Structures are given as C-alpha cells and as structure tokens.
Amino acid sequence: ININAGKSRNVGVELEATYVPMDNLRFDFTMAYQDHKYVEFELGGQDLSDLTVPYSPKWKVGGGITYDAALGNAGTLTMNTTVAYTSRSFMSVFNSLRTDMN
C-alpha cells in the first residue's frame, strides 16, 4: 500500500573515521543519528502523527578491522571483520509488531 504521509522533518548527523596505525592494518568506524518525525500525518481522518516514520532508525553504528597479509609473489591475503548495530525501526506506517525491525 502506498500512502502519502503528509509532512515529516528529518534532522541528523553522520560520522565516518578510519585509523591506519601501520601499512597493513586499518580500523573503520561509522555512526549515524537521525531524528525523523511526522509533523502531520492523517489517514482516513485519524491522526497518526505520533507514529514512527518507517525505515528511520534513530541510531546506526558500525566498525571494522582489516588486516592485509603479504604472501610474497602469491599476492595479498586480506582479512576483515565488521560489526553493525541499528536501533529499532518499522517497515510500515502503522508500526505493527509484524513490521518491527528490532
């Protein structure tokens, strides 16, 4: 179902940082914060402006470590691990438990 949600306001900030302590080792960090709210949202005469805007998590945080191991003439072996966190959000304007992405 496509619904015109009226008006919303979205304010946020993003940060990305990379730290390379040596040539073959890298640390990555990302963080995003957003405050996305309905200003006006009516559907069938009902005021739904207090609901959460779909696909709008308040926080997203992630990080990773990458290490490159030289294999001589055979090339390079790159090893990487990452972690990510996303706060609660919904896939529907109705914010039902079946569409909770937590």
Side-chain angles (χ1 to χ4, degrees), residues 55-77:
Y55 301 101
S56 298
K58 192 165 285 282
W59 290 99
K60 288 181 117 180
V61 180
I65 302 171
T66 303
Y67 182 78
D68 294 323
L71 301 177
N73 291 336
T76 303
L77 174 64

Side-chain angles (χ1 to χ4, degrees), residues 34 36 52-57 89-92 101:
Q34 74 172 335
H36 193 188
T52 302
V53 179
Y55 301 101
S56 298
S89 64
F90 293 93
M91 297 184 294
S92 165
M101 293 180 15

Side-chain angles (χ1 to χ4, degrees), residues 25-29 62-67 78-84:
L25 181 63
R26 185 180 82 221
F27 296 91
D28 297 298
F29 173 76
I65 302 171
T66 303
Y67 182 78
T78 299
M79 295 170 274
N80 175 270
T81 186
T82 58
V83 63

Side-chain angles (χ1 to χ4, degrees), residues 8-30:
S8 70
R9 176 189 59 83
N10 192 2
V11 177
V13 64
E14 249 181 272
L15 170 72
E16 293 184 19
T18 299
Y19 174 60
V20 183
M22 50 211 265
D23 287 342
N24 57 345
L25 181 63
R26 185 180 82 221
F27 296 91
D28 297 298
F29 173 76
T30 61

Side-chain angles (χ1 to χ4, degrees), residues 9 14 18 33 35 38 43 59 62 75 79 82 85 88 93 97-98 101:
R9 176 189 59 83
E14 249 181 272
T18 299
Y33 170 82
D35 183 21
Y38 289 117
L43 183 62
W59 290 99
M79 295 170 274
T82 58
Y85 167 78
R88 184 181 200 178
V93 296
L97 291 177
R98 290 184 297 161
M101 293 180 15

